Amino acid sequence: MAKKGDWVRIHSIVLKADERTAKLPEDTQKCDLQQWTKGYLQEESAEIGDEVSVETAVGRIVKGTLLEVGPYYTHSYGKFVPEIIEIDKQLRETMFGGDR
């Protein structure tokens, strides 16, 4: 459960597929224009799936479906690559004449 002031992520449909311009590629025209927004929950409390409003970091009020409480980044730079350790050693040797 989220409470007022919690940092959350919401989802909303900006334009339905049939409302989008005909100037888009055909496959894009068939898709809704969607928006994911993070902000501070404005309702006193809410559950995932509830329709809520949030205040974004720049002060906009946006409405949508509550997806997540306390969203965070989950990307990475990939799996460990042992060769990078060797590159680091070679680079330090070239730049500084040894390990640092």
Side-chain angles (χ1 to χ4, degrees):
M1 173 181 274
K3 62 185 182 319
K4 186 171 185 159
D6 283 350
W7 185 251
V8 298
R9 185 168 60 109
I10 63 170
H11 172 262
S12 59
I13 303 295
V14 178
L15 290 173
K16 295 280 188 189
D18 61 350
E19 299 172 327
R20 298 186 76 176
T21 181
K23 295 179 181 181
L24 294 171
E26 188 176 327
D27 59 339
T28 304
Q29 288 179 23
K30 296 177 185 177
C31 300
D32 294 339
L33 178 59
Q34 303 179 60
Q35 169 178 277
W36 290 265
T37 307
K38 295 177 192 168
Y40 299 101
L41 184 66
Q42 298 300 291
E43 281 70 22
E44 290 301 319
S45 65
E47 298 285 340
I48 301 297
D50 289 352
E51 290 297 313
V52 298
S53 57
V54 299
E55 181 177 350
T56 67
V58 295
R60 289 187 317 127
I61 302 295
V62 181
K63 295 183 180 189
T65 305
L66 181 61
L67 295 180
E68 186 179 3
V69 179
Y72 57 93
Y73 294 107
T74 58
H75 65 279
S76 74
Y77 295 102
K79 297 193 182 274
F80 172 69
V81 180
E83 291 81 4
I84 292 179
I85 300 295
E86 292 306 313
I87 292 169
D88 178 63
K89 288 179 183 177
Q90 291 172 9
L91 182 60
R92 288 176 188 276
E93 179 64 37
T94 300
M95 291 178 66
F96 307 114
D99 291 339
R100 273 202 160 173

